[in-house]
Amino acid sequence: MLDQKDENKRKECYDGKMLQYKREKENFGAVKKVIEKEKYSGQKQAKDVADYSTLDMNSQLIMNLRDLGHVIRFLFEGKSSQKRVLIILSEVGKITQRDLTKRLGVQPASASEVIGKLENAGMIERTPNLMDFRTMDICLTDEGRKEAEKAVRERTMRHQEMFSCLSAEEKKTMLKLAQKLNEDWVERYREGK
């Protein structure tokens, strides 16, 4: 099973509202209620600053994207969470610790900590790389594969639930718009520009 300390650290990162959200969310069906609360809460907070309906469209878009970001950040594993590592390993099979660290986008010490915990829990095993004995290959154990399959199923259900209020056409439109924004913002706000 995944390390309880990591779960506790993760919980501490969220304010009281997000902790209450987690307690209330016992199954994926409860997510709808929580998102509604978040939406209402975001609109209520906006009303404290200014009446939401009087804000310009750009401000309303930003507020909604911010609120969606909070929900997404809460629902998903962090950059280097144990579940994310298990999912990556289930996708790639075997990977070097260096490549896994790059893929996670974290510092080597952070990756080593998570890898060590997974190894101690019997989820992964490290073996010397056949091409470079200074490098370690990481792969799932049988128990790790079971946990990874469970994490993938949970993620798939979460993805389906999150977008269940949209039709296929609305999803295509939203994806197109999100990709357009992403491409523009990457260029517009890149470092050094």
Side-chain angles (χ1 to χ4, degrees), residues 13-49:
C13 294
Y14 303 108
D15 61 15
K17 181 168 61 170
M18 295 307 270
L19 287 173
Q20 179 183 1
Y21 175 28
K22 181 163 177 79
R23 278 187 232 106
E24 290 175 4
K25 184 187 106 24
E26 294 199 340
N27 61 43
F28 293 111
V31 171
K32 286 181 193 175
K33 294 176 192 170
V34 175
I35 290 173
E36 272 305 308
K37 282 183 182 178
E38 286 295 316
K39 184 177 176 187
Y40 172 75
S41 173
Q43 290 175 353
K44 185 173 183 240
Q45 288 172 358
K47 288 182 181 185
D48 292 342
V49 176

Side-chain angles (χ1 to χ4, degrees), residues 64-109:
N64 280 286
L65 289 172
R66 181 204 62 207
D67 291 346
L68 288 171
H70 285 300
V71 173
I72 290 169
R73 189 169 45 252
F74 175 75
L75 289 175
F76 285 88
E77 309 85 32
K79 274 183 168 183
S80 63
S81 77
Q82 294 179 17
K83 284 184 179 180
R84 182 157 183 244
V85 170
L86 294 174
I87 290 170
I88 289 170
L89 289 172
S90 74
E91 293 169 350
V92 300
K94 189 181 280 191
I95 191 170
T96 66
Q97 188 165 334
R98 176 178 290 136
D99 289 342
L100 178 60
T101 301
K102 285 180 192 172
R103 185 152 177 186
L104 292 169
V106 297
Q107 295 297 316

Side-chain angles (χ1 to χ4, degrees), residues 169-182:
E169 195 57 40
E170 288 170 324
K171 288 179 192 178
K172 286 179 188 175
T173 301
M174 185 174 183
L175 178 60
K176 197 177 211 178
L177 293 171
Q179 288 171 334
K180 184 176 182 177
L181 270 177
N182 194 33

Side-chain angles (χ1 to χ4, degrees), residues 43 46-47 50-57 60:
Q43 290 175 353
K47 288 182 181 185
D51 186 2
Y52 179 82
S53 63
T54 65
L55 296 174
D56 65 80
M57 190 177 297
Q60 289 181 9

